[in-house]
Amino acid sequence: MPSDTPRSTRRRVLASTVAALGLTALAGCSGSGSGSASSRAGPDAEPPEDALVSPPHVTLRGPATEPNVVRETAAENETPSPGTEIDDWAHYVLANGADADAVTFADVDGADEAKRFLEATNFDSETVYVERHLVGECYRHQLCWVRWTDEEIETDYARTLRDADVACEADTRVAVTNLIRLPVALDPDQISGYSSGSGGGACRRPKGERREESGS
């Protein structure tokens, strides 16, 4: 790539971004209930025993200036002023067919798959948890696990550099949204807490699955 191009490959940004692989702790609240997003306990942290590892999900990735998943009546997902970014973190639950029908998708990577994912969900026994983060354009934000109770939902992600031949800018962020299928029918009105962790390195597997980790 020419040295004066405004775009750079992963190798061009590696030196300036490798120190940021571990996310610093954040705190915030989005939508109803309380919530926090933070760095994970450490690169070798095992998934909790009650976590669902590698849950069924689809991922959408698009510009940080507009939501790639929108609910018709959700004020928090309104498009901001031109040139400004949307909130760093957003989350909500789709608990029935009406909720799913009220969702629309931007023209971004993963939109068609997300539509099929919702159509294939049995809301009598399943729930879809929608969670969006803003991440650096040069990084992948991979869902590792999710766990829940009737009142709380928690997720964990791995943050790794994208392939070396992918053009990106170190100071640009993108919106990454995951639609996560939970094998339980949850009541959104009962959920009062949300949390999400992220850290550098690959997703960790339970001890019995360590041999599969290199393929993730």
Side-chain angles (χ1 to χ4, degrees):
M1 297 284 288
S3 60
D4 58 349
T5 179
R7 303 286 290 178
S8 57
T9 65
R10 196 242 320 169
R11 291 190 180 94
R12 290 279 306 281
V13 300
L14 177 59
S16 63
T17 57
V18 67
L21 279 172
L23 297 183
T24 56
L26 302 172
C29 184
S30 177
S32 61
S34 62
S36 65
S38 66
S39 59
R40 64 165 90 126
D44 295 320
E46 297 285 348
E49 292 184 359
D50 59 347
L52 177 59
V53 178
S54 299
H57 69 283
V58 294
T59 303
L60 299 96
R61 187 180 179 102
T65 53
E66 60 180 339
N68 36 37
V69 182
V70 180
R71 290 181 297 168
E72 291 179 359
T73 59
E76 71 269 22
N77 281 330
E78 291 179 355
T79 302
S81 302
T84 62
E85 292 186 346
I86 53 181
D87 291 341
D88 280 9
W89 185 43
H91 47 78
Y92 49 88
V93 168
L94 304 179
N96 52 58
D99 288 346
D101 290 342
V103 167
T104 58
F105 300 96
D107 185 14
V108 298
D109 291 343
D112 290 340
E113 184 180 0
K115 294 175 185 177
R116 293 191 293 269
F117 185 80
L118 286 182
E119 291 171 355
T121 299
N122 179 2
F123 286 104
D124 290 335
S125 58
E126 297 173 325
T127 302
V128 173
Y129 177 49
V130 182
E131 185 172 51
R132 183 190 73 224
H133 296 83
L134 296 191
V135 301
E137 188 182 28
C138 296
Y139 291 92
R140 296 176 64 238
H141 195 60
Q142 181 182 2
L143 176 64
C144 298
W145 53 259
V146 61
R147 63 175 176 172
W148 64 90
T149 66
D150 290 341
E151 299 177 348
E152 298 181 2
I153 298 178
E154 179 182 2
T155 55
D156 184 75
Y157 293 83
R159 185 171 178 260
T160 58
L161 286 165
R162 300 172 72 192
D163 293 341
D165 59 351
V166 174
C168 62
E169 294 180 352
D171 58 352
T172 297
R173 298 198 295 175
V174 296
V176 177
T177 302
N178 281 280
L179 279 66
I180 309 165
R181 185 182 292 139
L182 309 180
V184 60
L186 295 177
D187 180 355
D189 293 335
Q190 297 299 314
I191 302 174
S192 58
Y194 299 86
S195 60
S196 184
S198 181
C203 290
R204 292 297 177 183
R205 300 289 186 249
K207 291 180 180 179
E209 299 180 18
R210 279 296 180 100
R211 63 187 180 276
E212 301 176 2
E213 191 171 307
S214 61
S216 63

